[in-house]
Amino acid sequence: MCGIIGATGQGCVTEILLEGLARLEYRGYDSAGVALQADGDLWRARAATGTRSLEDLRKIVDGAPDAGGALTGIGHTRWATHGHPTEENAHPIMDCSGRVAVVHNGIIENWRELTARLASDGHVRTSDTDTEVLVHLVEEELATGASLVEAVRATLREVSGTFALAVVCAGEPGTIVAARRVSPLVIGLADGDPEGEVAGEALLASDIPALLGRTRRLWALEDDQVVELRPGSMRVTTLAGKEVEPSVLQVNWDLEAAEKGGHPDFMGKEIHEQPRALSDTLLGRLLPDGTFALDELRISDEDLSRVDKVFIVACGSSYHAGLVAKYAIEHWARLPTEIDIASEFRYRDPVLDSRTLVIGVSQSGETIDTLQAMREARQWSAKVLVISNVVDSSMAREADGVLYTRAGPEVGVASTKTHLAQIVALEVLALHLAQLHGRMPPADARMLFGDLEGLPDLVELALAREKDVAEIACRFLGTRDFFFLGRHVGYPVALEGALKLKEIAYLRAEGYPAGELKHGPIALIEPGAVVVGVATRTRLWEKMMGNVAEVRSRGATVVLVANDGDSDTADQADEVLWVPSTDPLLAPVIDVVPLQLFAYHLARAHGHDVDRPRNLAKTVTVE
Ligand code: M6R
């Protein structure tokens, strides 16, 4: 989830790049960099100083006498996925000769094999990024006499994964070659002078905001299309070299709307980014032999196979993701698994030793309660692993190992896409543990991983029903109290649905395991009470429906999350939130989506700012 920009023309290219990068900072700011072509040479500047990266990059560029004269350049702002957020890993990444530079957004899946092959051919690796293979492959092709565009096409035929990339080389002044697969790429042409004596600029960016105000003549590149940009012109071809017409983009957004991808707020945008967050988190994790590639894990297979007990520590939505993982780890790996609210963990004298695995789950990697719980665990010599969305966060640095979700930056205070990404990352970890403990043959792991890979499309289907969910939510504008019920993995979904409603709609919402209702809370059910139940076909569906009958018979209005076409469930509901079905242990990823949308639309109907709910902070660094 990085931002990329490129420009070639007579205008102030350096300024176009820096201004574009500033508008792309919401996509990450671990580092920023540019590569500029001036006088047949390539000049690169990079800074990796976190929130100051762009400011520091500007100082370097301003101090460089040639930078202002550049006519062609590419730039990048990084959200680290492979490799630490250091200057070495900042883009543009260069080849061995320093004459080719690439910026890239996405993940190259087969980078391990390609890195090994390139190393044996004598290429020297200068970064830990997956991106670097791209530039060395281009370098090899150029050495055979290929043009830049031919070299890029040949390279892209060798790589698997996702990319939006732009390449420049010293040998072809004025040219940028760019391409995409899955990750978006927008092309723009700006007019030259009216007499046509000066060609205009040709521009590219990963996102529309970077080009707004420069031109309204925009095109979107399709998957596996390659574009050659020269001042004022573009030529689009397929990977096979066939010329094609790119699709015109009609954009009527202002800058603020564009940053939110046309959504009214970041939360709405992030809810819709969930399919992508899931596929990025899963990308390249399964190896052809049916084992898992968890490079950042840093805890050896031997240590993990010695583990005889698992503790999960987390707060809020991350706790709910951890609760789903408890079911998955116990079922697949048959390892006893406890879960704790992180702020309680170290005050209860947990019994841990060197064979205990403690998993901290934290989007930010900075939440003090979770950090302290992990520190406590390390004192007992437990192996500590963190699931984090932020590369090199405090937890990632202190833990023995880390598994990154790749959801990209989440701006809205309410967790959405990072929550879903946490669940799938934890489920991959559960499968890995199951294999290491001899509980799951590779064929079964491969099949379940296939189901995980199917989730992005199913989440997309769940999102397609947004209008229906919004209409249902608005029928409850007058309701102040809600009960959310679920059983088995539906229970964490109920908790998450209730939390979303509390934090952004400011409505009282109790999340309960449905079987617990009759031990007290059912006293609160009376005509008019609203009960939201997770009633998809997971293991305890029949028991769940028994609990639904209990509240219906006491006059509650019942809203049920049900699998498509399940009329038995729908018959017991006043309102139905339909979702597609999947393996029961993976279902929370889909089932929670209508509950996010329910809270989101109800909060907006109440006129609340969903991105910045009152009294809350995105990262909680006080106990
Ligand atoms: O950064 P973390 O995942 O450690 O944050 C934990 C909670 O503060 C967080 O999940 C919070 O509950 C959500 N923002 C709620 O939507």
Side-chain angles (χ1 to χ4, degrees):
M1 184 72 187
C2 308
I4 69 177
I5 177 130
T8 180
Q10 308 287 319
C12 37
V13 159
T14 313
E15 200 45 46
I16 295 174
L17 298 184
L18 292 174
E19 201 184 292
L21 290 179
R23 292 181 182 184
L24 290 173
E25 269 193 304
Y26 67 92
R27 293 189 64 109
Y29 40 71
D30 289 331
S31 61
V34 290
L36 301 167
Q37 258 182 5
D39 301 330
D41 249 336
L42 214 52
W43 180 84
R44 172 177 67 172
R46 300 180 293 178
T49 44
T51 48
R52 290 200 332 275
S53 298
L54 190 55
E55 195 184 317
D56 291 344
L57 176 69
R58 185 176 273 284
K59 283 185 202 146
I60 303 171
V61 171
D62 285 349
D66 291 343
L71 300 182
T72 304
I74 54 178
H76 189 269
T77 175
R78 178 164 186 250
W79 173 263
T81 54
H82 289 73
H84 300 277
T86 56
E87 195 177 319
E88 291 72 35
N89 293 332
H91 299 210
I93 306 276
M94 283 181 143
D95 71 331
C96 299
S97 67
R99 293 181 61 78
V100 188
V102 64
V103 290
H104 166 227
N105 171 31
I107 298 165
I108 301 302
E109 219 175 339
N110 56 341
W111 66 273
R112 286 179 206 81
E113 301 90 287
L114 291 171
T115 299
R117 208 258 285 149
L118 288 162
S120 67
D121 290 347
H123 290 272
V124 180
R125 193 163 153 78
T126 57
S127 77
D128 302 321
T129 63
D130 53 324
T131 300
E132 186 163 349
V133 295
L134 294 169
V135 77
H136 292 296
L137 289 172
V138 171
E139 177 188 7
E140 286 202 334
E141 293 296 330
L142 289 174
T144 67
S147 66
L148 184 58
V149 69
E150 288 162 352
V152 170
R153 280 199 208 106
T155 296
L156 297 183
R157 286 195 291 265
E158 280 203 60
V159 300
S160 59
T162 60
F163 51 78
L165 56 84
V167 191
V168 286
C169 78
E172 288 193 34
T175 305
I176 304 175
V177 176
R180 73 160 280 199
R181 184 181 296 160
V182 182
S183 306
L185 198 64
V186 180
I187 309 298
L189 289 184
D191 293 329
D193 71 352
E195 273 79 51
E197 284 175 15
V198 178
E201 283 109 29
L203 310 159
L204 68 90
S206 52
D207 303 75
I208 294 165
L211 303 185
L212 280 187
R214 298 274 169 208
T215 177
R216 288 218 169 250
R217 293 169 61 209
L218 295 168
W219 292 264
L221 220 57
E222 306 289 334
D223 277 354
D224 285 337
Q225 288 183 345
V226 181
V227 63
E228 293 155 77
L229 296 179
R230 298 197 176 77
S233 78
M234 66 166 171
R235 179 171 175 265
V236 180
T237 49
T238 63
L239 279 193
K242 184 169 169 277
E243 203 153 331
V244 284
E245 275 297 310
S247 340
V248 175
L249 259 183
Q250 298 293 350
V251 178
N252 304 313
W253 300 336
D254 60 16
L255 183 57
E256 202 194 329
E259 281 183 346
K260 294 172 184 160
H263 294 272
D265 35 57
F266 281 105
M267 185 178 174
K269 173 175 177 259
E270 286 157 5
I271 286 176
H272 283 270
E273 284 172 349
Q274 295 187 116
R276 182 65 198 278
L278 294 176
S279 46
D280 280 355
T281 299
L282 292 170
L283 203 67
R285 293 303 193 188
L286 185 71
L287 294 172
D289 64 359
T291 61
F292 294 95
L294 309 177
D295 311 294
E296 328 88 291
L297 211 55
R298 300 195 304 251
I299 305 178
S300 68
D301 286 358
E302 198 191 339
D303 279 342
L304 283 178
S305 39
R306 284 184 62 246
V307 162
D308 62 5
K309 187 172 179 187
V310 178
F311 277 82
I312 300 173
V313 288
C315 306
S317 299
S318 300
Y319 173 83
H320 302 153
L323 199 48
V324 176
K326 172 182 159 66
Y327 289 92
I329 296 171
E330 291 192 331
H331 184 73
W332 289 331
R334 303 301 299 145
L335 281 169
T337 304
E338 287 190 41
I339 174 154
D340 274 74
I341 295 279
S343 54
E344 288 296 318
F345 180 74
R346 68 197 168 116
Y347 303 111
R348 72 161 174 105
D349 287 333
V351 182
L352 317 166
D353 59 32
S354 62
R355 298 185 65 180
T356 311
L357 174 67
V358 174
I359 306 172
V361 188
S362 175
Q363 176 279 130
S364 60
E366 303 295 340
T367 302
I368 195 74
D369 291 322
T370 312
L371 188 60
Q372 296 288 32
M374 288 169 48
R375 285 176 180 160
E376 172 77 16
R378 294 198 80 190
Q379 285 200 356
W380 292 96
S381 310
K383 287 273 167 276
V384 176
L385 170 62
V386 64
I387 307 286
S388 173
N389 196 43
V390 181
V391 172
D392 272 4
S393 56
S394 301
M395 286 181 213
R397 286 198 307 270
E398 287 192 24
D400 297 303
V402 54
L403 183 56
Y404 288 117
T405 49
R406 300 179 191 137
E410 190 173 64
V411 178
V413 165
S415 306
T416 52
K417 61 176 181 170
T418 56
H419 174 66
L420 262 60
Q422 285 170 343
I423 299 176
V424 298
L426 282 159
E427 294 200 318
V428 171
L429 180 65
L431 292 175
H432 184 56
L433 287 170
Q435 284 199 330
L436 293 176
H437 284 260
R439 305 282 183 188
M440 187 172 287
D444 291 6
R446 226 182 265 127
M447 198 184 69
L448 280 160
F449 192 82
D451 289 340
L452 282 167
E453 286 182 314
L455 289 174
D457 285 347
L458 299 179
V459 168
E460 201 74 75
L461 278 177
L463 289 170
R465 288 96 192 248
E466 177 166 16
K467 204 161 149 279
D468 302 337
V469 180
E471 272 171 28
I472 294 172
C474 290
R475 284 179 209 144
F476 293 97
L477 254 177
T479 306
R480 299 293 315 167
D481 297 283
F482 291 80
F483 290 88
F484 282 72
L485 304 180
R487 298 195 72 145
H488 196 254
V489 286
Y491 166 46
V493 176
L495 289 178
E496 180 64 7
L499 177 61
K500 290 280 105 49
L501 204 59
K502 282 184 256 216
E503 66 178 335
I504 58 169
Y506 314 147
L507 295 168
R508 263 185 300 273
E510 298 271 3
Y512 266 103
E516 182 67 7
L517 208 63
K518 54 188 164 300
H519 299 288
I522 201 162
L524 292 167
I525 303 291
E526 56 183 347
V530 177
V531 173
V532 182
V534 182
T536 49
R537 294 280 177 155
T538 51
R539 251 169 86 179
L540 298 188
W541 176 81
E542 273 162 2
K543 291 190 189 302
M544 176 69 196
M545 292 314 285
N547 301 132
V548 169
E550 289 160 13
V551 296
R552 269 174 75 81
S553 64
R554 286 163 178 83
T557 300
V558 173
V559 181
L560 293 181
V561 180
N563 285 134
D564 289 341
D566 182 354
S567 53
D568 289 343
T569 303
D571 286 348
Q572 303 304 313
D574 297 286
E575 306 285 357
V576 182
L577 305 171
W578 295 108
V579 287
S581 58
T582 181
D583 180 279
L585 277 173
L586 315 188
V589 170
I590 303 167
D591 297 354
V592 77
V593 172
L595 301 187
Q596 295 171 336
L597 292 170
F598 186 84
Y600 172 79
H601 285 286
L602 201 44
R604 284 178 48 84
H606 277 287
H608 301 317
D609 177 345
V610 294
D611 285 343
R612 282 178 295 266
R614 70 186 181 205
N615 305 338
L616 295 176
K618 184 72 186 159
T619 303
V620 183
T621 51
V622 287
E623 261 201 79

